[in-house]
Amino acid sequence: MEKDKYIRFDWAMKRMLRDKANFVVLEGLITVLLERKVKIIEILESESNQTDYDDKFNRVDIKAKDEKGDIIIVEIQNTRELYYLERVLYGASKAITEHISLGKSYSEVKKVYSISILYFDIGKGDDYLYHGITNFVGVHTGDELSVSAKEEGAIIRKMPREVFPEYYLIRVNEFNKIAKTPLEEWISYLKNGEINAETTAPGLTEARERLKYYNMSPAERHTYDEHINAIMIQNDVLDTAKLEGREEGRAEGIEEGRKKEKLELARKFKESGIPVNIIAENTNLSIEDINSL
């Protein structure tokens, strides 16, 4: 009997999880992370939902609204991006401004949760999950500020973290544990594409039935396999570039010779279908040099 094989989550986000019938899978991941039951009401459209050529392999995201009206951005990033944190901040800020009309009260501002699933090394850190919130802490006293406001005749107290965006960074490649908790089961699926047959983790039970590789038609499987192969080729080429870059740094040589080697690497990148901005980032060549190849 063929062993169950499950579709990568980025592909599911592009092709399947935008269907209301499959919201339950995405709800499960968000529920586990936020530690509260989340029900998605709708998938929201924005510029970031549109997949263009440069994002073909690199990233995919979904922006959703839950039953509380909060905005939840779930993004998968496959390769390194120089200004990734800045883009995450921009995405959260844009989500806020997209969903409040000009002239509306600031009470209409929506809480945003940004969830990033990262398949690249973003930096130093020992954990596979990081959570960022905004607190205002007394410089001298160390106490946390609680803001008071009068609403409908009553004094309402809010903590800044209840208003400002929250960020979750999931460093998938750093997960090296035997999955025991619902969170660990989810990270194991994100990393290895494996789902325990006995799982009771929110969303994964449904994923076992709805995201099976062999449930796709032969044509769908072919397209999916091509997508996975493209990601693997891109990552292999980028890893090679990093290795050759380190070796080049150790060796003495003429600058012209170094640039020639970089141009040859860039040419191979282009033949592999890697976006120009990623090539420029990993070779330090200009966009003009790369476009001229």
Side-chain angles (χ1 to χ4, degrees), residues 6 24-25 27-29 31-32 37 179-187 189 194-209:
Y6 297 98
V24 64
V25 176
E27 288 169 353
L29 172 61
T31 292
V32 167
K37 178 66 176 174
K180 296 180 178 179
T181 68
L183 174 61
E184 291 169 351
E185 288 187 89
W186 258 104
I187 308 303
Y189 162 57
E194 298 172 355
I195 304 177
N196 190 318
E198 308 301 321
T199 186
T200 58
L204 285 184
T205 302
E206 292 79 9
R208 288 192 72 249
E209 297 303 317

Side-chain angles (χ1 to χ4, degrees), residues 31-92:
T31 292
V32 167
L33 278 175
L34 272 53
E35 297 182 327
R36 67 172 173 87
K37 178 66 176 174
V38 172
K39 182 167 182 60
I40 294 173
I41 301 301
E42 62 179 316
I43 299 297
L44 303 169
E45 285 300 326
S46 73
E47 290 178 10
S48 59
N49 286 155
Q50 308 306 315
T51 302
D52 59 27
Y53 179 78
D54 286 346
D55 287 339
K56 185 176 180 183
F57 310 121
N58 215 27
R59 70 184 179 97
V60 59
D61 65 358
I62 280 182
K63 186 169 71 170
K65 183 170 75 173
D66 70 7
E67 77 281 10
K68 294 173 59 180
D70 296 338
I71 307 298
I72 301 168
I73 303 168
V74 181
E75 175 177 289
I76 291 179
Q77 181 84 13
N78 282 310
T79 59
R80 183 172 64 89
E81 185 169 315
L82 186 58
Y83 298 108
Y84 185 73
L85 289 181
E86 288 84 349
R87 188 163 65 73
V88 169
L89 172 62
Y90 174 80

